Amino acid sequence: MDMLDAAKAVRLNAHAPYSGFKVGAAIRSASGVIYAGCNVENVAYPEGTCAEAGAISAMVAAGETEITEVLIIADAKEPITPCGGCRQRLAEFAPPDVAITMMTVSGQTKTAQMGELLPGAFDAKSMET
Ligand code: THU
């Protein structure tokens, strides 16, 4: 299964009864394996998690920590960009040159690099004294 098929398939499993907005994310790791995640909402709204967070958890649980490619898909008028929190989550494992592809289910596509989505990121170097 490729990145697009993985993101499309996992999106259908999203638990989004409150927003009605299903999101799918696929992440390719350094080993080439694709990890998928969907948003999982909760009746206590702030406890919900984004699709990207789910895909990152699956990757880390499998023992991997390097992202080489990301694809996010949602049913919207225009491709959605990852939320601020997910930009920081992705940047933990994705170098600035990693391509983030954003797609609508109808096929509209946008691409940006990690470093464009989160310029001036707070990273491990920021904590050097
Ligand atoms: N959502 C994601 O899963 N990823 C994003 O990049 C943006 C937003 C989810 C969170 C919530 O379940 C729904 O979309 C509406 O915000």
Side-chain angles (χ1 to χ4, degrees), residues 5-89:
D5 289 339
K8 271 186 179 170
V10 75
R11 179 184 161 273
L12 299 178
N13 294 338
H15 176 70
Y18 307 107
S19 72
F21 192 71
K22 293 183 168 208
V23 183
I27 285 175
R28 193 188 300 281
S29 67
S31 73
V33 173
I34 294 170
Y35 298 96
C38 55
N39 50 332
V40 181
E41 297 182 349
N42 191 281
V43 63
Y45 293 179
E47 302 308 326
T49 50
C50 285
E52 296 88 331
I56 290 169
S57 290
M59 178 191 76
V60 174
E64 299 213 58
T65 54
E66 198 184 332
I67 293 174
T68 60
E69 202 185 335
V70 180
L71 189 150
I72 298 154
I73 191 162
D75 187 11
K77 257 193 260 166
E78 297 200 347
I80 62 156
T81 58
C83 76
C86 284
R87 294 177 195 210
Q88 184 71 37
R89 289 187 184 97

